C-alpha cells in the first residue's frame, strides 16, 4: 500500500478529474471500481483517494485494484482523520473548482429484514452518527449513503434488541435533519439494480446530501420487468440470470458437505411444481428462506436473480430424470439418471433434467448435485 507522501504526489496531473471520492466501508472495492470507470465526454472524471475498511483482506483486495488511494485498515469510529484532511486540503489547493464526495455504504446487517427475529446490534445501527466528525473535517460537497431500504426505519429498540414498531423511523429522520443542518439539501431513492441492466433484483436505499446550489441527480432506469415501449418510454426487459449461469458446470458446492435439510427439499419441490411442471428445466433455490407467511417462492432463471448475500444461501437447480410415457404404474414411470435406465423399448421417451431432488408423484429422494 502506498504512503501518504506517495498519494499526495499522485494527485498532480489530474486536471480532468471533477470529483474526488472518500470511500468509507469500502469493502473489496465494488463502489470504487464503478467510480474509477466513470467517464465524462470520454474522459475519466472521478477519482477515489481514500478508502476505509476494518477488514484486512478486503483492503488488500481493494488496494490491488485501486492502488492510487490511501488505504486504512481501521474502524471508521476510531480512525484518526488528519491524513484524510491533508489529502483533501491538497486537492483543493491544486484544483479549487473540483468537488469532494464522502461515500458511506453503511453496515446494513442490523437494519436488514434478512436479520429476521434475531436481536439487532444497537451499536451497529448507530454507525451513521459517526459520519459527523468526517463532515466536520472534510466539509464534503456531496455525501452519498447506500444501505438497505430498512435503513429508513431506524428507530429505538427494546431491551431484547428488537425494534420498537411505534418508534419506526424516528432516529433516521433525526439523523437526516442533523446532516441537513450543515447546509445540505437531501433526496433519496430506492433503486433496483435490475432496472439498470444488472442480473439481480437487489434493491437499495441511496441518499444524497448536496451543498446548497449543487444538483442532485439520480440515474434514469434502462430496464423494467417485462419491458416497456410507448410514445414516451423505451425500456428493455430485465436481463435473465440464465445468461450468466454455466449449466454445464455442475461441480460440487464449496459451502456444504452434509445432506440437504428437509425444508430445503421442500423448497426444491416447490420449484419443481412452479417451473418444471411449467415447462422450464432449471430454477434457483434459496436455503433457509421463507416469506412472512411461512411459504417459499422459488425464483426463475428468466429474470434477474435475488440478492446474493454472504450467507451462501443461493443455488441453481437443474432437473434431470428419465420419464416413461408408457407402461408401468405411476411410481415407476420416473427414474433418476443416477440409476440404470432400464430396458429401452420403442415406447420409452426420456425427458432430460439435473438436480439432487426428483419427484415420483410427490415423493422425494436425493440424487445428483445441487
Amino acid at each position: 500500500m502506498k504512503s501518504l507522501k506517495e498519494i499526495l504526489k499522485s494527485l498532480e496531473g489530474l486536471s480532468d478529474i471533477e470529483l474526488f471520492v472518500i470511500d468509507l466501508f469500502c469493502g473489496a472495492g465494488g463502489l470504487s471500481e464503478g467510480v474509477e470507470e466513470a467517464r465524462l465526454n470520454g474522459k475519466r472524471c472521478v477519482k477515489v483517494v481514500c478508502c476505509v475498511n476494518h477488514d484486512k483482506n478486503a483492503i488488500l483486495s481493494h488496494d490491488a485494484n485501486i492502488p492510487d488511494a490511501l488505504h486504512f485498515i481501521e474502524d471508521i469510529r476510531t480512525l484518526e482523520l488528519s491524513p484524510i484532511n491533508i489529502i483533501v486540503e491538497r486537492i483543493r489547493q491544486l484544483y479549487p473548482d473540483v468537488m469532494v464526495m464522502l461515500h458511506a455504504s453503511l453496515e446494513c446487517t442490523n437494519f436488514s429484514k434478512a436479520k429476521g427475529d434475531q436481536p439487532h446490534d444497537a451499536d451497529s445501527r448507530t454507525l451513521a452518527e459517526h459520519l459527523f466528525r468526517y463532515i466536520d473535517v472534510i466539509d464534503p460537497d456531496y455525501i452519498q449513503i447506500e444501505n438497505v431500504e430498512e435503513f429508513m426505519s431506524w428507530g429505538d429498540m427494546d431491551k431484547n434488541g428488537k425494534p420498537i414498531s411505534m418508534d419506526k423511523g424516528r432516529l433516521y429522520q433525526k439523523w437526516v435533519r442533523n446532516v441537513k443542518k450543515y447546509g445540505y439539501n437531501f433526496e433519496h431513492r430506492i433503486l433496483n439494480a435490475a432496472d439498470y441492466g444488472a442480473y439481480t433484483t437487489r434493491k437499495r436505499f441511496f441518499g444524497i446530501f448536496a451543498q446548497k446550489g449543487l444538483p442532485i441527480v439520480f440515474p434514469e432506469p434502462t430496464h423494467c420487468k417485462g419491458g416497456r415501449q410507448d410514445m414516451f418510454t423505451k425500456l428493455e426487459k430485465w436481463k435473465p440470470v440464465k445468461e450468466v449461469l454455466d449449466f454445464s458446470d455442475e461441480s460440487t458446492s464449496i459451502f456444504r458437505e452434509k445432506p440437504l435439510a428437509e425444508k430445503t427439499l421442500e423448497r426444491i419441490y416447490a420449484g419443481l411444481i412452479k417451473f418444471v411442471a411449467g415447462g422450464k428445466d432449471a430454477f434457483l433455490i434459496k436455503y433457509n428462506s421463507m416469506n412472512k407467511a411461512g411459504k417459499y417462492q422459488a425464483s426463475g432463471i428468466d429474470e434477474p436473480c435475488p440478492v446474493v448475500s454472504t450467507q451462501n444461501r443461493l443455488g441453481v437447480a437443474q432437473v434431470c430424470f428419465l420419464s416413461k410415457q408408457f407402461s408401468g404404474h405411476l411410481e415407476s414411470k420416473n427414474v433418476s439418471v443416477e440409476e440404470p435406465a432400464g430396458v429401452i423399448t420403442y415406447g420409452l421417451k426420456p425427458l432430460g433434467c439435473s438436480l439432487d431432488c426428483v419427484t415420483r408423484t410427490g415423493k422425494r429422494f436425493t440424487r445428483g448435485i445441487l
Side-chain angles (χ1 to χ4, degrees):
M1 291 187 288
K2 290 187 177 180
S3 65
L4 174 60
K5 184 177 180 180
E6 292 173 312
I7 298 301
L8 291 172
K9 180 66 177 177
S10 72
L11 293 175
E12 300 175 6
L14 297 177
S15 57
D16 288 334
I17 301 300
E18 298 192 12
L19 180 66
F20 289 88
V21 177
I22 296 152
D23 188 1
L24 306 184
F25 307 92
C26 67
L31 181 281
S32 295
E33 279 288 306
V35 165
E36 294 281 307
E37 291 178 7
R39 295 293 183 270
L40 180 63
N41 299 323
K43 294 183 179 180
R44 183 183 179 192
C45 57
V46 189
K47 178 77 181 75
V48 177
V49 290
C50 298
C51 312
V52 186
N53 198 278
H54 69 284
D55 186 272
K56 178 181 178 181
N57 291 327
I59 287 293
L60 290 175
S61 174
H62 196 290
D63 181 62
N65 292 293
I66 315 290
D68 292 328
L70 189 62
H71 289 83
F72 298 92
I73 306 173
E74 183 69 79
D75 189 318
I76 70 141
R77 293 170 287 195
T78 57
L79 178 66
E80 207 282 302
L81 300 184
S82 59
I84 296 180
N85 186 39
I86 291 172
I87 289 177
V88 172
E89 287 184 347
R90 181 57 175 162
I91 288 171
R92 287 180 169 144
Q93 180 184 27
L94 290 170
Y95 315 108
D97 296 327
V98 303
M99 293 175 287
V100 174
M101 182 176 81
L102 178 67
H103 175 87
S105 294
L106 298 166
E107 192 271 341
C108 64
T109 304
N110 289 282
F111 287 108
S112 175
K113 56 189 174 186
K115 187 78 172 181
D117 291 330
Q118 301 178 53
H120 292 61
D121 184 338
D123 188 48
S124 172
R125 287 163 62 92
T126 64
L127 286 171
E129 297 284 5
H130 293 270
L131 296 184
F132 291 112
R133 66 190 191 100
Y134 288 80
I135 299 172
D136 288 330
V137 170
I138 300 168
D139 187 25
D141 299 280
Y142 283 99
I143 304 168
Q144 181 171 280
I145 306 297
E146 182 262 341
N147 210 313
V148 293
E149 318 174 56
E150 297 88 341
F151 176 60
M152 294 187 292
S153 68
W154 177 19
D156 291 322
M157 296 189 298
D158 61 24
K159 61 181 181 181
N160 297 316
K162 302 294 181 66
I164 301 173
S165 58
M166 64 184 300
D167 192 48
K168 184 177 180 180
R170 186 185 69 82
L171 295 179
Y172 164 75
Q173 294 291 346
K174 177 182 177 182
W175 176 77
V176 169
R177 289 195 300 269
N178 287 338
V179 177
K180 289 174 69 175
K181 289 178 181 178
Y182 282 83
Y184 292 98
N185 292 322
F186 174 71
E187 290 186 29
H188 78 276
R189 299 285 190 280
I190 302 298
L191 304 182
N192 187 333
D195 290 340
Y196 301 90
Y199 290 94
T200 173
T201 53
R202 179 186 178 102
K203 293 172 68 177
R204 286 295 181 267
F205 162 94
F206 286 89
I208 298 178
F209 295 90
Q211 288 191 0
K212 296 293 177 60
L214 294 178
I216 297 178
V217 180
F218 290 90
E220 294 294 329
T222 56
H223 295 67
C224 71
K225 187 174 183 178
R228 184 188 308 153
Q229 185 169 356
D230 53 36
M231 292 180 59
F232 309 102
T233 308
K234 183 178 180 181
L235 297 175
E236 301 292 331
K237 291 182 179 180
W238 278 354
K239 289 186 176 182
V241 69
K242 66 181 181 182
E243 292 183 357
V244 290
L245 295 177
D246 183 0
F247 293 106
S248 66
D249 183 9
E250 293 184 342
S251 68
T252 302
S253 174
I254 64 174
F255 303 120
R256 62 185 303 116
E257 294 181 357
K258 63 181 182 179
L260 297 175
E262 182 70 16
K263 288 292 185 182
T264 297
L265 294 177
E266 290 181 6
R267 296 182 187 104
I268 294 172
Y269 178 70
L272 287 169
I273 297 299
K274 180 178 180 180
F275 293 104
V276 179
K280 304 296 183 180
D281 60 1
F283 56 93
L284 299 179
I285 175 73
K286 290 184 75 174
Y287 305 100
N288 306 325
S289 177
M290 292 288 184
N291 62 22
K292 292 182 178 180
K295 296 183 179 180
Y296 171 73
Q297 285 290 331
S299 302
I301 59 172
D302 293 309
E303 297 180 352
C305 74
V307 176
V308 180
S309 69
T310 58
Q311 297 165 313
N312 307 318
R313 291 179 175 178
L314 192 64
V316 178
Q318 202 175 354
V319 185
C320 286
F321 59 88
L322 297 177
S323 180
K324 293 182 180 181
Q325 294 192 17
F326 303 98
S327 81
H329 52 78
L330 294 177
E331 287 288 325
S332 64
K333 284 192 175 183
N334 298 313
V335 181
S336 169
V337 294
E338 298 293 325
E339 299 174 354
V343 178
I344 305 295
T345 70
Y346 72 91
L348 178 65
K349 297 182 180 180
L351 304 176
C353 296
S354 108
L355 170 65
D356 60 348
C357 174
V358 299
T359 64
R360 290 178 174 172
T361 62
K363 293 187 177 180
R364 297 184 303 275
F365 62 96
T366 58
R367 288 289 188 273
I369 298 171
L370 177 64

